[in-house]
Amino acid sequence: MPVYKLNINGKVREADVPADTPLLWVLRDELQLPGTKYGCGIAQCGACTVHLNGVAMRSCSLPVSAIQAAAITTIEGLSEKGDHPVQLAWDELDVPQCGYCQAGQIMTAAALLKKNPHPTDEEIGNAMHGNICRCGAYHRIREAVKSASTKI
Amino acid sequence: MNTTHTTSRRNFLKLGSLTTGGLLIGFNWFDNSVKAAVVAGGDAKETLAFNSYLSIATDGTITIYSPNPELGQNIKTSFPMVVAEELEADWTKVKVEQAMLDNKFDRQLTGGSGAVPHSWMRLRKAGATAKYVLIQAAAQQWQVDASACYAENGFVIHRPSGKKLGYGELATAASALTAPADVPLKDRKDFKLIGTAVRNVENKNIITGKPLFGLDFYRDGMAMAMIQRPPAFGTKIKSVDAAAAKASPGIVDVVTFKNNVAVVGNSTWAIMKARKLLKIEYEKDGNIESSEDHDKILKDLLDNDNGKATVQRKDGDVKAAFAGAAKVIEAEYQCPFLVHTPMEPMNFFAHVREDGIELIGPSQTPARAREAVSKMLNVPEDKITLQITRLGGGFGRRLKFDYVVEAAELSGIIKKPVKVMWTKEDEMQGGSYRPAVRYRFKAALDGSGNLVGYQLRGVGINAGNSTREDNFPSGAVDHLLIENVEYVSPITTGAWRAPITNFLAFAEQTFLDEVAMAAGKDPVQFRLDLLAKAKQKPVGAIKYNIDRMVTVIKTAAEKSGWGTKKDVAQGFSVYFSHQSYVAQVCEVVMEKGKPAVKKIYAVSDCGQVINLSGARHQVMGAIVDGYGNAMYGKISFKDGASEQKNYNNYRIIRMKEIPEVEPHFVDNGIDPTGLGEPALPPTGGAVANAIFKATGKRLRNQPFSAEDVFKA
């Protein structure tokens, strides 16, 4: 099996895995980064969202061989102290219920605000549409994205 | 060093010194004889000896153990709030830990919106008894009368002198004291924490991606596994060719047990790939059913009085009432199967060893899971430990323990620690569904538009009793007959958030709207009139609280400006489920010729609200859940196989589709009555009734999105 050198959260990490292994399972099974969640496995729910060169990507459907030198950021690396404006807004607005989808929601929201720091409700809805929250915490997720957008 | 306190003569709280010099309190409010707190090696997790407890360290840190599984209902925050309130603790110094499964707790489960109502007094007494002995300890130290002392924000204060001592400083001395069983509790008006908005204690861990969930559990040497179960209900394994799967890289073993073929490996991706290489032949093992068969079966059970119906409730003479009616209204409602599909897929870790079994994972009923594993593997329960991880949702799915037993069984066979994981595809064929149900209602009105006769026949696929025969309007109608017929199918079902009422409420509340319209009455006034009748001249037993229901109805009408708005169509619904009451008003406008659901007002009477942030969140989430599943949710079957396999064709509501929700709570001073489910049942009816107001079209079938009003 090839050994992949990956740039994850600012560090070079090595993974000795088959080429078709999705990034999700490299993170979770090989690199002890279980913050990125497994949901549907077919890029429909967004629980596995990470950043690839700052863009939100579904890691469950991204083969490790396609990543090459791209910079990957996971929820564990979004901020050093858990104080990214999106994370702070999530706490302030008390967003999580079960919490399982929230890493993916946060990563999608952070990527949105990086590209578009002051999105409209419609733009938030479009960007967040791929992230399912089965608990239905959507009202607070939307409010938290708006709140973070005032502090970014 | 272990410290054990023996049983005292009276029902006194027991306190034991922690090896760290702190105070540990255990209690059991059931027994007259108090069990001893056993503290071993300062490791609190291993020493949990009573039905709940808290510890106070000498630095003032208070640790409160939360026994019930947390799945998003926010119990891990609300339980400790109640303890901290009575303790007069400094909330910022409270640490909360999830307790292991332990026999010393009672009702260590999450289901039926019952945890807070069950534990309310127990938690208050836990805090109050600790406060009592801390005050006693301070009074002894100061040599003053305890009645001259009070507790506040983690300190005991001597009122005349203003002297104060922190709980940490008092913990050791207090550990030698006992408190009476009838320790005084705070007056509600003095609550400082209860009823306020407190953030989830786990927020920081969730937003930074800490491994809180069962699926996040990894241990060196652990195997991982996925299980191929039959692809259709009514089939069993005929033959298995696992050669290719076994030869696949990273695979440790392929094991067949019962109707399961488990692929065991050292990485998730390896087992996912190898599983696809299995060649399994299945053969018929029972009825192989499709949804079209169910349609015919349910229709037959409604149409034909075949003697199978169970009478659930009978008041007066329905036959005579309908024979003499001025007007008869009849309607049928139906719903499909739904799957729970919590975000975190089913999973459990099991390690069957020579000397016992270790179980780790997400379960709503850990005690029943342990019991089932014990029976299956013939290992005594006291040799089985179960660590409850945070649950990435449950919705009733994790009330079943099939996935726990299966993991333990596999570990026993392969003699290795193993984490068994499911995919969404596994879950959608996995044998736990909200049952498909059909209802036929008949109502008889007299010449003045009064409801004098009411009939309901519920029929369902593995639904048990598909009615709730004592719910409103029972008790308000002179002549009433409620019957049920169950069809037993190989397609197994389970409790889905607000079991039965998640659909029954929609049917009943929509039908009542139809009856009100036929009677020429306002739907809100129609319900109030019926409740007034139930109050004045009750018919048979009344098993709901009329006053509580009236209050939520009137409050919802007031908050929503019922009947005063010209630019929106409003629909009304009210429901009593579990132990709480919720009324909802939905507002719909027409956009491009289609109804658009804009807003839902919800007025809940769940008794005392503990955490306002959590309570609001529960109501909003339950409404999104109720609305989303009424709109889009559907599992259908073709030849025993579910036609929906994953989120690409099982539709879950998404952010852009939610209406605004405005939650309100009735403050009536009664003890908490639960809120995990009760806000869900009324939603479908409020939505359907508003859509009728807007379009003149009745929605009687779920999912709504398949109905004509939503088609182009």
Side-chain angles (χ1 to χ4, degrees):
Chain A
M1 282 188 291
V3 174
Y4 292 93
K5 281 190 193 298
L6 302 167
N7 173 1
I8 298 176
N9 299 331
K11 288 179 192 151
V12 176
R13 304 287 303 266
E14 291 190 355
D16 184 4
V17 294
D20 59 354
T21 309
L23 174 62
L24 171 67
W25 298 114
V26 177
L27 296 171
R28 292 184 58 85
D29 285 356
E30 310 295 328
L31 302 178
Q32 293 82 47
L33 291 169
T36 304
K37 300 304 184 212
Y38 169 56
C40 65
I42 57 166
Q44 293 288 313
C45 76
C48 66
T49 305
V50 299
H51 295 173
L52 196 79
N53 291 332
V55 177
M57 294 289 278
R58 306 293 186 237
S59 66
C60 74
S61 303
L62 181 65
V64 64
S65 56
I67 295 166
Q68 301 190 354
I72 297 156
T73 308
T74 71
I75 187 71
E76 292 94 340
L78 184 62
S79 62
E80 268 187 36
K81 295 177 179 168
D83 57 357
H84 185 282
V86 171
Q87 288 169 309
L88 294 177
W90 246 247
D91 180 35
E92 274 164 30
L93 287 151
D94 203 21
V95 171
Q97 286 195 24
C98 87
Y100 192 80
C101 73
Q102 297 300 350
Q105 304 273 4
I106 288 168
M107 295 309 281
T108 303
L112 164 69
L113 295 180
K114 193 172 180 190
K115 199 172 75 179
N116 178 2
H118 303 289
T120 62
D121 272 18
E122 167 116 18
E123 287 167 338
I124 294 172
N126 288 337
M128 303 301 295
H129 201 64
N131 287 74
I132 291 174
C133 173
R134 181 68 185 81
C135 300
Y138 295 121
H139 294 96
R140 287 192 185 174
I141 293 171
R142 188 166 56 202
E143 285 310 303
V145 177
K146 280 156 79 169
S147 171
S149 77
T150 65
K151 290 162 190 164
I152 226 156
Chain B
M1 190 189 91
N2 288 6
T3 306
T4 306
H5 288 261
T6 51
T7 305
S8 62
R9 280 173 292 120
R10 291 171 56 196
N11 184 13
F12 275 8
L13 173 75
K14 298 305 297 181
L15 308 168
S17 291
L18 278 168
T19 48
T20 51
L23 166 68
L24 180 123
I25 298 174
F27 54 95
N28 183 331
W29 304 108
F30 281 154
D31 290 358
N32 282 327
S33 64
V34 172
K35 293 171 192 161
V38 181
V39 184
D43 181 353
K45 277 187 186 171
E46 284 179 16
T47 60
L48 206 57
F50 299 92
N51 72 359
S52 180
Y53 77 32
L54 60 94
S55 69
I56 301 173
T58 47
D59 68 353
T61 303
I62 294 165
T63 304
I64 300 176
Y65 283 80
S66 187
N68 290 49
E70 170 67 71
L71 50 62
Q73 84 281 39
N74 216 11
I75 202 88
K76 200 173 170 182
T77 304
S78 51
F79 264 30
M81 282 176 71
V82 179
V83 177
E85 175 74 65
E86 291 287 351
L87 181 61
E88 299 291 356
D90 176 354
W91 180 250
T92 61
K93 289 193 171 176
V94 170
K95 264 176 43 191
V96 182
E97 301 277 350
Q98 174 73 54
M100 295 275 290
L101 174 63
D102 195 301
N103 289 345
K104 303 306 190 296
F105 292 105
D106 54 295
R107 203 187 184 283
Q108 202 173 1
L109 69 88
T110 291
S113 302
V116 169
H118 177 83
S119 298
W120 170 244
M121 289 307 285
R122 293 168 170 80
L123 297 165
R124 292 183 69 188
K125 285 187 176 179
T129 41
K131 179 178 70 184
Y132 183 94
V133 292
L134 288 159
I135 289 174
Q136 294 291 323
Q140 283 178 13
Q141 189 167 331
W142 292 324
Q143 298 188 320
V144 300
D145 197 314
S147 64
C149 305
Y150 66 100
E152 189 175 75
N153 212 31
F155 289 90
V156 178
I157 299 157
H158 182 232
R159 200 181 306 271
S161 67
K163 283 188 290 195
K164 59 199 272 186
L165 282 167
Y167 285 1
E169 298 169 275
L170 292 164
T172 308
S175 69
L177 305 174
T178 53
D182 58 349
V183 65
L185 300 177
K186 287 177 77 170
D187 193 304
R188 276 168 205 283
K189 69 173 171 30
D190 299 325
F191 284 167
K192 294 174 195 145
L193 199 55
I194 291 175
T196 65
V198 171
R199 288 181 211 169
N200 191 327
V201 295
E202 212 77 272
N203 274 355
K204 194 81 183 168
N205 290 327
I206 291 169
I207 64 181
T208 53
K210 294 289 183 296
L212 303 172
F213 301 93
L215 206 65
D216 299 341
F217 179 78
Y218 288 84
R219 179 182 285 171
D220 285 348
M222 169 186 94
M224 295 185 228
M226 283 190 175
I227 292 176
Q228 185 61 51
R229 302 170 194 82
F233 292 96
T235 64
K236 64 177 182 185
I237 292 174
K238 187 179 175 192
S239 67
V240 179
D241 173 1
K246 267 186 187 167
S248 192
I251 296 307
V252 175
D253 206 350
V254 177
V255 176
T256 302
F257 61 105
K258 296 177 182 155
N259 264 327
N260 302 316
V261 182
V263 179
V264 185
N266 53 27
S267 79
T268 311
W269 188 239
I271 57 181
M272 281 177 157
K273 276 170 61 175
R275 182 178 165 180
K276 290 184 182 148
L277 303 174
L278 288 171
K279 291 181 190 126
I280 311 173
E281 270 190 284
Y282 292 90
E283 62 188 354
K284 193 169 180 294
D285 186 38
N287 288 350
I288 294 180
E289 297 173 355
S290 299
S291 290
E292 54 194 37
D293 303 321
H294 293 154
D295 285 345
K296 285 179 201 149
I297 290 163
L298 293 178
K299 186 174 187 311
D300 177 60
L301 293 176
L302 280 180
D303 287 343
N304 298 314
D305 192 0
N306 43 26
K308 287 183 191 163
T310 305
V311 174
Q312 303 292 142
R313 177 165 173 145
K314 189 172 182 289
D315 294 318
D317 183 350
V318 172
K319 224 175 200 177
F322 277 88
K327 205 179 220 178
V328 172
I329 303 105
E330 191 170 337
E332 255 178 58
Y333 291 81
Q334 67 173 349
C335 71
F337 292 97
L338 290 181
V339 70
H340 304 76
T341 189
M343 292 305 294
E344 181 195 12
M346 296 298 109
N347 67 86
F348 231 83
F349 168 85
H351 188 190
V352 177
R353 304 179 312 254
E354 287 293 314
D355 60 340
I357 301 173
E358 184 182 16
L359 302 170
I360 299 172
S363 169
Q364 291 179 244
T365 49
R368 280 160 58 192
R370 180 181 58 187
E371 184 187 4
V373 168
S374 166
K375 282 184 181 153
M376 159 71 64
L377 296 177
N378 198 24
V379 172
E381 285 192 29
D382 62 7
K383 300 281 185 212
I384 303 174
T385 62
L386 195 154
Q387 184 183 328
I388 306 161
T389 59
R390 191 177 182 87
L391 284 69
F395 309 101
R397 178 61 184 88
R398 295 190 227 265
L399 284 168
K400 288 200 169 186
F401 39 78
D402 52 321
Y403 61 100
V404 186
V405 176
E406 192 181 73
E409 202 172 1
L410 179 60
S411 173
I413 294 167
I414 63 173
K415 304 201 184 315
K416 283 189 178 66
V418 63
K419 178 168 72 174
V420 176
M421 298 175 282
W422 294 46
T423 63
K424 287 278 165 259
E425 288 82 358
D426 293 334
E427 288 172 14
M428 293 204 188
Q429 184 64 37
S432 186
Y433 307 98
R434 185 275 297 273
V437 174
R438 196 176 284 200
Y439 295 111
R440 179 173 291 164
F441 293 89
K442 280 172 79 175
L445 297 175
D446 68 13
S448 316
N450 297 311
L451 178 61
V452 293
Y454 183 89
Q455 241 182 304
L456 165 62
R457 178 180 276 209
V459 298
I461 315 279
N462 291 343
N465 176 14
S466 66
T467 74
R468 291 294 177 266
E469 60 276 4
D470 294 320
N471 269 8
F472 178 75
S474 293
V477 187
D478 289 336
H479 309 285
L480 174 141
L481 177 65
I482 296 179
E483 299 171 299
N484 179 67
V485 193
E486 183 185 21
Y487 173 76
V488 176
S489 163
I491 298 171
T492 48
T493 58
W496 193 100
R497 193 179 191 177
I500 298 298
T501 61
N502 60 52
F503 176 67
L504 175 64
F506 152 72
E508 286 180 350
Q509 289 296 308
T510 309
F511 183 65
L512 278 182
D513 205 69
E514 296 198 51
V515 177
M517 297 295 161
K521 292 181 181 173
D522 172 78
V524 170
Q525 194 56 47
F526 181 68
R527 287 171 173 83
L528 291 172
D529 290 347
L530 283 169
L531 287 162
K533 177 170 187 320
K535 182 103 179 168
Q536 285 148 18
K537 286 188 192 167
V539 184
I542 307 259
K543 295 193 179 172
Y544 49 92
N545 184 307
I546 295 168
D547 295 338
R548 291 179 72 187
M549 192 175 274
V550 166
T551 301
V552 293
I553 291 173
K554 287 184 173 171
T555 311
E558 179 205 318
K559 297 289 182 193
S560 65
W562 176 259
T564 65
K565 293 184 177 172
K566 297 218 157 40
D567 50 345
V568 293
Q570 291 183 317
F572 192 84
S573 177
V574 62
Y575 216 71
F576 163 58
S577 65
H578 304 278
Q579 302 174 55
S580 294
Y581 297 78
V582 181
Q584 293 179 10
V585 173
C586 173
E587 295 185 344
V588 164
V589 298
M590 296 303 286
E591 286 177 353
K592 294 175 190 161
K594 285 186 201 168
V597 176
K598 288 296 180 186
K599 181 165 183 175
I600 296 175
Y601 297 86
V603 174
S604 306
D605 173 358
C606 58
Q608 173 73 53
V609 167
I610 293 173
N611 182 354
L612 190 58
S613 177
R616 289 172 62 89
H617 218 7
Q618 278 307 295
V619 169
M620 295 168 86
I623 288 173
V624 170
D625 193 4
Y627 174 62
N629 278 289
M631 280 297 287
Y632 311 117
K634 180 182 182 177
I635 288 277
S636 56
F637 289 92
K638 181 73 184 163
D639 300 328
S642 74
E643 295 185 291
Q644 294 73 28
K645 305 294 185 194
N646 201 325
Y647 293 147
N648 56 338
N649 59 2
Y650 187 83
R651 188 167 169 191
I652 303 282
I653 191 167
R654 292 170 187 264
M655 183 185 281
K656 284 202 292 186
E657 295 153 345
I658 58 167
E660 188 186 340
V661 175
E662 187 179 309
H664 296 271
F665 296 92
V666 171
D667 183 9
N668 58 9
I670 65 169
D671 288 349
T673 54
L675 196 61
E677 291 152 293
L680 187 151
T683 302
V687 170
N689 293 338
I691 288 173
F692 174 78
K693 196 78 183 291
T695 65
K697 300 240 168 64
R698 277 287 166 204
L699 299 179
R700 298 194 183 91
N701 303 320
Q702 291 186 359
F704 296 158
S705 60
E707 298 289 284
D708 288 345
V709 291
F710 289 105
K711 287 183 185 157

